[in-house]
Structure formats: C-alpha cells, structure tokens
Amino acid sequence: MSLATAVTALSVIVGVGLAWCLTSGVARSRPLMVALLTAPLAIPSYVSGFVWVRTLPDFYGFPAAVLVLTLACYPLVMLPTVAALSGIGRSAEDAARTLGCGAARAFLRVTLPRIRLPVAAGALLVALYAISDFGGPAIVRFEPFTVGIYNAYNGSFNRTVAAVYGCVLAIMALALAAGERFIRRDAEPSANAERTRGIRDHAGAWAFAIGMIGVGLAFPIAGLIGQILRSQRADTALDDVLPAIGATLSLAVQATLVITLLAIPVAFYTARPRTRLSGFVDTATNLGYALPGVTVALSMVFIGLRVVPDWYQTTALLLIAYAVLFLPVSIGPSRSAIDAMPDAVSEVSRTLGAGSMATLLRVVLPMIAPGMLAGAALTCVSVAKELPATLMLAPVGTRTLAVDMWSLNNDLAYGRAAVLGLILIAVTSIPTVVLSTLFSRRGPST
C-alpha cells in the first residue's frame, strides 16, 4: 500500500503541475509538448526499470519502484487534467486574483476543486496500476503483493499465501473505487467556459516540462540505445522480431475493439443518474484492474482447464482476461465525458423532435467521442505492454514483444532485450500519439 500511495501522490503532483504548465505556461509548440509528455505511456514499467538498473546497478528497492511507476503513470493524471483546464476557462481564477489571491492560492482554492473529477479518475487509475503492476517492481527487486503472489505460485505447492495476497488487493481496489466514486457523486455537469485560458510562455513551465521529458522519455531511450551499442549480440534479436510485432499489434487491436464495445454501455450505466446497482457495477469493473495479471491469468487457466477446455490457450480466453484487466481503462475517460455533458443538450434534442435513439447517435455519441477514443487509445497501449497474462494464456507459438523481452532479460541477453524494448516503445507509441493529439486538439489554440 505504501508503494501505491507514494506513486499516486507523486503522479497527481506531477500530472496536475504539467497540465497547468501546458495550459498556462507553454504557448509555442504545445501539441508537440503534449505528445512528448504523454510518450512515457508507451514505455512499459519493466522497460524503464531495465534501463535504470542497467545504468545505475545499485538503484534497487522502494525508491526505484516509486520512480519507475511514477514515470509510467503520471500521464494518466495529466491528460484528463489538461482537457479539463482547457475547458473551464480562467474567469473564476482571474476573479480570485483580483480579490487578492496569489496565483498558487487562486489555483488551489478555485481551479483545483473544479477539476477534481478528472484528477480523481486519473488518480484511481494510477493507484490501481501501482498495486497491480508486476514487471516494474520485479525488475528493480522490490516485492509488493504482485511479486509476492508470483513467487508464491511458482515457489511452492501451497497457494494459500498467494490467495490471501489476492484478497488483500481486491479489498484495496474496492476502497479505491469507493473513494473515487464518493468524490464525483455530487458533481455537476460542466458549463461552457466564459473565457479561454490565456497562454504565455513561462521559463519555469518550460523547464519543468523539458525536465520531465528528459527523465521520462529521453533517458530510457538513450539507455536502451547505449545498452545495444555495448552489446555484441543485439543484432540476433532482429531475426524473428516481425512475428512478435504482428502478434502484439493483432492482440492489441482485437482487445481494444472488444473492450471498447463493452465499456460504452457500462460507462452510460454508471454515469448520471447514479444508483446503488450502478455503484456495484462500477466497483466490480474497477476490481479487475487492481488484480495482478498473474492472478487473473491463473484464474483463466483454471476456467479453461475445468470449465471450457476447448478455449484453453486460445485467443478468445486471452481476450477475456484482457477485458477483466483493462475494462476500467476504457470506461474512465468515456464516463468522464458523459459526466461533463450538460443534461440540457439531450433535452433540447428531444424537444426538437428527435427520439432517444436519434439523440444518442446524432448528439450524445459525437459529444463523448473524444473520451471514447481516449479510452480506446489507453486500452491499446495497456494491452500491448501487458506481460503475465499474455505469457500464461497466449496460444502456443504466439510470441509478443513484451514476452520476448522478458525472457531475454531473464537469460541475461541484455543487448537483445534492449532491441526489443526499443521496438516495443515504437509500437506502443502509435496509440499514444493518437491520444496526445486528441487531448491537445481540445485545448485552446495558440
């Protein structure tokens, strides 16, 4: 729990700070800066951990795990906060400034409460990711619940300890989901901004943004390239990399389509108006994201062997595991878009003679499309980076970039693992670029 708390707190501080910089202190090349600051989403935590460990051999334990996970997670807070800050304008903040509040005080007392919904949604995803991630902590030799579960399952025939750890993670996920739901229970639909946020270049904002780009993006890439140059066996990884790329993209696209189709009705049902049953559905969907991939994978192995043996080690069963793990990633942005949509929009459409279906297709879906696309992009990135479930459930002969890199690292083939790490970053950067472009277009023009 200490790891999740530290990572969530740092991700909120960094994410909100960068969002403020991008919407108030970065005027030139803003879309490019958003894309570069979003790029760490494309770098799996185990790739970042691999670089830090190979560069700083003594950098292990809790601090390393916090750093690696924070660099992987802060865009989950930054992106929705950028969209929210771009939409609310600065009228209320400017009024607070005229009444004597300083810039920091005006932001904390006026602006921050108005963006608590996207911040809370991003913080929930960060916390759930932190308590469920396996690869990053394992690489830096820190043992949270996920690594403990993996070791318990592989180190003995007694699965009791692993089951207890899994129950603790489930309870933690329930508490996190309940807290996020409490924050947004009394939320009101967003109104149109009275005035767009004025943007002027500030040296401090640029320094902060460039520093995060250097630590979160440039350092891992430079570290991988350096590892390749130091290795004499890196070129052998290119012999069979194309099948791994194809398998990674194929699974990511299929899973994204399935999860998005499942997420849309759930997002509508769990948004306004809220009921006890919708609250239960909301909590149940978030629970899967908190469970470590190895636990979900082992559950699916049991189902495949005992219940539906014809599905064992098939793509269908693997897609079900992906849906359990990543459905909240798609639901969150879609539901935030629905929450932000004024009720009057649908009511006006109906008064003009449009039926419920016509209103949904012609008015509601186009308005929430950015949130849906953001959820789909996040899902695609998450699936492409996923490791334990793919390792255990993929059909025989299916080798993804993540699985191959993990195997090469365990075999001490660091140069070849670095090659696959670079290729994995390139593959996952495709939906990340789409995601950052989507959010940057919602901001004010420069």
Side-chain angles (χ1 to χ4, degrees), residues 127-223:
L128 293 176
Y129 183 95
I131 65 177
S132 64
D133 187 54
F134 166 75
I139 285 284
V140 299
R141 300 180 187 175
F142 181 72
E143 187 171 323
F145 281 119
T146 50
V147 179
I149 291 172
Y150 182 83
N151 293 336
Y153 270 114
N154 287 277
S156 68
F157 293 101
N158 186 358
R159 312 302 192 207
T160 304
V161 175
V164 171
Y165 283 176
C167 290
V168 172
L169 284 179
I171 294 172
M172 293 167 63
L174 287 170
L176 290 170
E180 188 265 350
R181 188 170 181 79
F182 176 81
I183 291 174
R184 58 185 182 85
R185 65 175 182 174
D186 298 323
E188 297 293 334
S190 299
N192 291 332
E194 298 176 10
R195 182 168 73 84
T196 57
R197 300 180 68 84
I199 301 180
R200 293 180 299 174
D201 283 316
H202 293 280
W206 272 94
F208 184 34
I210 292 175
M212 288 305 303
I213 292 172
V215 175
L217 178 63
F219 179 79
I221 293 177

Side-chain angles (χ1 to χ4, degrees), residues 41 80 91 185 299 342 442:
L41 281 178
S91 298
R185 65 175 182 174
S299 300
R442 297 183 66 184

Side-chain angles (χ1 to χ4, degrees), residues 271-317:
R272 302 176 278 114
R274 302 181 180 99
T275 64
R276 289 184 178 180
L277 183 58
S278 68
F280 173 78
V281 173
D282 187 18
T283 302
T285 55
N286 285 321
L287 182 59
Y289 189 65
L291 295 175
V294 63
T295 301
V296 174
L298 286 168
S299 300
M300 293 298 166
V301 168
F302 175 83
I303 293 173
L305 292 174
R306 301 293 182 87
V307 182
V308 282
D310 291 340
W311 284 26
Y312 179 61
Q313 287 192 321
T314 64
T315 301
L317 192 61

